[in-house]
Amino acid sequence: PPGTDPPRAHARLLPGSPRYLLYDVNPPEGFNLRRDVYIRVASLLKTLLKSEQWALVLPPWGRLYHWQSPDIRQARIPWAHFFDLPSLSKNVPVIEYEQFIAESGGPFIEQVYVLQSYAEGWKEGTWEEKIDERPCIDQLLYSRDKHNYYRGWFWGYEETRGLSVSCLSVQGSASIVAPVLLKNTSAR
Ligand SMILES: *[C@@H]1O[C@H](CO)[C@@H](O)[C@H](O)[C@H]1NC(C)=O
């Protein structure tokens, strides 16, 4: 079955391959909010594409609270099940997670950013857009395994692991993440 290859060395990306943006949404959120977040992330991708080649990796569907049919398998569901990918790709380049694994050569995600609010909360007065690396506020949903890889919920792909996890306090629209992805990390 797909996705059960033995672990390989770190991603062997071909020269000239795009950088990949993967994302996820807080587990309790339902279909409609996830569809809405897609629009915002696609907008972020458009900003990134002005500087570099990127591809958006669509987060597999599964385990939604409203999906209460235990007789139907609800994990690792590709976006093509609900959406027309050639149409989505007319806006920004999108690929399924399985294609990301095939292209990137290994189920590793180099950098995971957990987006959070600011610990000090919302200051009265002028609204400003900002983003800063900060200590994680909530307990991390990822934990290190004996090889020092981060394990956690990666859309039901048990063999997927993260190499680095950090937390970003963010206040702003989706594109505020763009400079961080373009300038603060070389993760592909
Ligand atoms: C990104 O790098 C700039 C320049 O080094 C630094 O000032 C800024 O704090 C960094 N931002 C994040 C979110 O790491």
Side-chain angles (χ1 to χ4, degrees), residues 131-133 168 180 183-184:
I131 182 164
D132 294 284
E133 186 164 352
L168 295 173
V180 177
K183 297 189 190 124
N184 293 67

Side-chain angles (χ1 to χ4, degrees), residues 64-82:
L64 295 199
Y65 173 75
H66 296 102
W67 292 355
Q68 304 209 351
S69 304
D71 50 323
I72 300 175
R73 187 174 159 269
Q74 299 184 13
R76 305 183 178 196
I77 301 170
W79 275 58
H81 194 78
F82 304 110

Side-chain angles (χ1 to χ4, degrees), residues 20-86:
Y20 297 92
L21 181 66
L22 301 91
Y23 74 98
D24 204 359
V25 177
N26 288 335
E29 304 294 355
F31 191 91
N32 196 47
L33 184 128
R34 288 167 187 273
R35 184 203 49 77
D36 188 77
V37 169
Y38 164 77
I39 309 265
R40 294 181 233 168
V41 178
S43 155
L44 164 61
L45 206 85
K46 276 204 166 163
T47 305
L48 295 172
L49 286 168
K50 290 178 190 156
S51 305
E52 289 173 349
Q53 215 40 56
W54 283 76
L56 181 57
V57 183
L58 300 166
W61 295 89
R63 256 188 12 173
L64 295 199
Y65 173 75
H66 296 102
W67 292 355
Q68 304 209 351
S69 304
D71 50 323
I72 300 175
R73 187 174 159 269
Q74 299 184 13
R76 305 183 178 196
I77 301 170
W79 275 58
H81 194 78
F82 304 110
F83 299 96
D84 182 50
L85 262 60

